[in-house]
Amino acid sequence: PKVKEVITIENQSEYFKKIKQQVINRILTRKFAIIQWPTWTWKTTLVKTVWYEMQIPVYEVGADAEKTIDDFVKQIKTIKKWNILQIKALPWLLIKALTWGWIFLINEANTLPPDIQLALANMVESWFVVVWNKKYIVHPNFALIFTSNQDY
């Protein structure tokens, strides 16, 4: 993230530090987090600050990002085969993030279709992902973070 998008350690309140530590613990243990707060409550800034301090690359889609949710969704294809949701196509940047150990931040993930939310959440549960018969090993540092606005 750009330095202006993070909160310096000197300017972090005790509350911010506490929430930041909870996010770090959740990501380190589960590799998946949903941060759901109202609009303008620093959800994205919190995530960017955590990973800036830890020096782990973050790729972001959604509000204020290079790629919108719509652009992102168009690149994901899922199919249901034998009553199992399978991934047919993923954006290259998501594949890069999961194989290189980056954090993938999806802002306003509540706007994603349910099948895509499920497919993405399932990716962090396994040590590999199969996309149209090609197997990708999930890097141990890969994590997926959804921000969600409870107002819509």
Side-chain angles (χ1 to χ4, degrees), residues 81-133:
K81 189 173 182 181
W82 300 305
N83 211 24
I84 297 172
L85 184 66
Q86 297 178 355
I87 300 170
K88 187 175 172 185
L90 280 179
W92 169 243
L93 285 167
L94 181 53
I95 293 172
K96 189 174 178 180
L98 72 90
T99 57
W100 290 16
W102 293 2
I103 306 306
F104 205 83
L105 169 62
I106 302 176
N107 283 311
E108 309 306 345
N110 51 309
T111 63
L112 291 171
D115 63 324
I116 292 178
Q117 289 182 24
L118 180 60
L120 293 171
N122 286 341
M123 285 187 344
V124 297
E125 297 292 326
S126 179
W127 61 273
F128 70 92
V129 173
V130 177
V131 179
W132 205 245
N133 298 326

Side-chain angles (χ1 to χ4, degrees), residues 9-136:
I9 292 173
E10 303 82 47
N11 294 326
Q12 293 175 15
S13 68
E14 289 305 311
Y15 176 76
F16 189 88
K17 289 176 185 175
K18 179 182 171 188
I19 297 297
K20 182 178 77 171
Q21 192 58 52
Q22 289 174 355
V23 170
I24 291 169
N25 293 343
R26 174 73 180 184
I27 291 301
L28 293 177
T29 58
R30 298 280 297 146
K31 304 293 183 191
F32 180 70
I34 299 173
I35 302 172
Q36 182 172 325
W37 296 327
T39 303
W40 300 106
T41 53
W42 300 68
K43 300 179 294 283
T44 303
T45 301
L46 170 68
V47 173
K48 290 180 178 183
T49 299
V50 167
W51 303 117
Y52 179 80
E53 290 175 4
M54 296 181 76
Q55 298 181 346
I56 297 174
V58 174
Y59 187 78
E60 173 187 9
V61 297
D64 300 327
E66 293 174 23
K67 271 205 179 297
T68 67
I69 287 285
D70 290 338
D71 294 336
F72 180 68
V73 167
K74 287 176 190 172
Q75 296 180 31
I76 300 175
K77 305 288 183 242
T78 60
I79 57 172
K80 200 164 189 179
K81 189 173 182 181
W82 300 305
N83 211 24
I84 297 172
L85 184 66
Q86 297 178 355
I87 300 170
K88 187 175 172 185
L90 280 179
W92 169 243
L93 285 167
L94 181 53
I95 293 172
K96 189 174 178 180
L98 72 90
T99 57
W100 290 16
W102 293 2
I103 306 306
F104 205 83
L105 169 62
I106 302 176
N107 283 311
E108 309 306 345
N110 51 309
T111 63
L112 291 171
D115 63 324
I116 292 178
Q117 289 182 24
L118 180 60
L120 293 171
N122 286 341
M123 285 187 344
V124 297
E125 297 292 326
S126 179
W127 61 273
F128 70 92
V129 173
V130 177
V131 179
W132 205 245
N133 298 326
K134 182 161 173 67
K135 184 177 182 179
Y136 296 96

